[in-house]
């Protein structure tokens, strides 16, 4: 279980020597002495394109290490975590929806979701079906993901991300392809799942923010 994530003077290598540029100068996260995300809670990180929001999610998920400074989980630096420890964290504590979604286009909607769910058997088939219905894509369950619109794929990827235990849910531009109604439906589902687990949500946004309640807004 992870109760807090702390960043201490974290700076992507690509921004080294660029202190006068907007991504560093105006950021509430990069090169800050200390920034903490605690659970439960909701955090929206607002960022322009190219300022490092996807990089931040990858750093927190452990899939990239090209940064200066420290990232700590409950006060422990993640720098020397083993592969097996990261694998366990990604199954039990960290859920991640990347901006590119990473669905398998040749597999059906249900097959894409089941691949994730089989790791922990966290959700029943009925629970998955209910989520598909809530996001109005239950009629797409047996259609290959490659035949869906980008907005439909985004909703599938969101459901897949929720099919595991988590203390922190990392979502990179989760509603960038959704209209206001689907934004609200997705936000309500994420809110319900996060509250049930007493978890935190860290969401990035360029402009179309997910409508989470009582969130902390940070600039990147």
């Amino acid at each position: 279980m992870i109760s807090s994530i702390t960043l201490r003077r974290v700076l992507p290598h690509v921004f080294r020597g660029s202190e006068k540029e907007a991504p560093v100068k105006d950021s509430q996260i990069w090169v800050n002495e200390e920034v903490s995300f605690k659970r439960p809670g909701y955090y929206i990180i607002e960022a322009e394109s190219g300022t490092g929001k996807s990089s931040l999610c990858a750093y927190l998920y452990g899939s990239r290490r090209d940064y200066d400074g420290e990232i700590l989980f409950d006060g422990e630096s993640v720098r020397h975590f083993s592969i097996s420890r990261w694998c366990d964290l990604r199954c039990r504590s960290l859920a991640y929806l990347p901006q590119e979604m990473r669905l398998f286009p040749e597999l059906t909607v249900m097959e894409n979701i089941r691949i994730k769910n089989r790791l922990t058997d966290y959700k029943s088939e009925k629970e998955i079906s209910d989520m598909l219905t809530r996001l109005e894509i239950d009629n797409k369950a047996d259609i290959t993901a490659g035949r869906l619109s980008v907005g439909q794929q985004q909703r599938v990827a969101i459901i897949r991300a929720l099919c595991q235990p988590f203390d922190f849910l990392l979502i990179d531009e989760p509603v960038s392809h959704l209209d206001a109604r689907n934004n609200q439906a997705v936000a309500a589902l994420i809110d319900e799942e996060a509250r049930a687990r007493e978890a935190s949500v860290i969401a990035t946004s360029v402009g179309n923010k997910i409508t989470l309640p009582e969130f902390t807004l940070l600039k990147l």
Side-chain angles (χ1 to χ4, degrees):
M1 180 180 292
I2 303 172
S3 296
S4 68
I5 295 176
T6 302
L7 283 67
R8 288 182 180 164
R9 298 193 64 79
V10 170
L11 179 68
H13 287 172
V14 71
F15 292 156
R16 282 174 171 170
S18 301
E19 289 84 356
K20 295 182 180 179
E21 296 182 4
V24 175
K25 182 180 178 182
D26 298 335
S27 176
Q28 291 178 292
I29 295 180
W30 301 140
V31 303
N32 235 293
E33 194 65 36
E34 186 166 297
V35 177
S36 291
F37 304 97
K38 301 183 183 298
R39 56 179 288 262
Y42 296 139
Y43 301 87
I44 293 181
I45 300 170
E46 198 171 72
E48 295 179 3
S49 179
T51 54
K53 59 187 183 303
S54 295
S55 297
L56 175 62
C57 289
Y59 298 158
L60 298 179
Y61 199 61
S63 55
R64 285 178 55 185
R65 300 176 59 187
D66 55 321
Y67 61 88
D68 297 322
E70 284 188 300
I71 295 176
L72 304 100
F73 291 175
D74 293 334
E76 183 180 1
S77 175
V78 305
R79 281 287 188 188
H80 304 295
F81 282 7
S82 65
I83 292 174
S84 62
R85 185 166 181 185
W86 275 116
C87 288
D88 184 63
L89 286 170
R90 292 167 188 162
C91 278
R92 304 288 174 182
S93 298
L94 295 171
Y96 180 29
L97 170 61
Q99 185 178 352
E100 63 272 23
M101 295 177 282
R102 299 178 189 169
L103 296 176
F104 296 98
E106 71 279 9
L107 300 183
T108 68
V109 166
M110 283 299 290
E111 287 170 341
N112 269 281
I113 295 171
R114 284 175 182 144
I115 284 176
K116 179 65 170 288
N117 194 57
R118 278 202 300 264
L119 295 173
T120 57
D121 291 321
Y122 189 75
K123 293 289 186 181
S124 67
E125 288 283 306
K126 183 180 185 307
E127 287 173 320
I128 294 171
S129 295
D130 287 346
M131 287 192 289
L132 289 168
T133 299
R134 284 183 61 173
L135 300 190
E136 299 181 2
I137 47 175
D138 50 306
N139 61 334
K140 307 294 184 182
D142 297 321
I143 294 177
T144 55
R147 294 173 56 196
L148 302 180
S149 70
V150 178
Q152 290 168 339
Q153 290 180 24
Q154 200 162 47
R155 281 176 274 169
V156 173
I158 287 164
I159 292 171
R160 183 187 59 183
L162 296 174
C163 286
Q164 69 164 89
F166 61 81
D167 301 315
F168 284 84
L169 172 63
L170 313 173
I171 44 180
D172 192 4
E173 293 194 51
V175 295
S176 56
H177 299 283
L178 303 182
D179 58 23
R181 184 171 59 85
N182 281 310
N183 183 329
Q184 291 177 349
V186 163
L189 179 59
I190 290 174
D191 178 43
E192 180 181 304
E193 292 288 329
R195 288 181 186 275
R197 309 168 207 209
E198 297 183 340
S200 277
V201 178
I202 301 175
T204 70
S205 169
V206 171
N208 186 20
K209 292 193 288 288
I210 187 170
T211 53
L212 293 171
E214 302 174 4
F215 62 84
T216 299
L217 180 65
L218 297 170
K219 300 285 186 177
L220 189 61

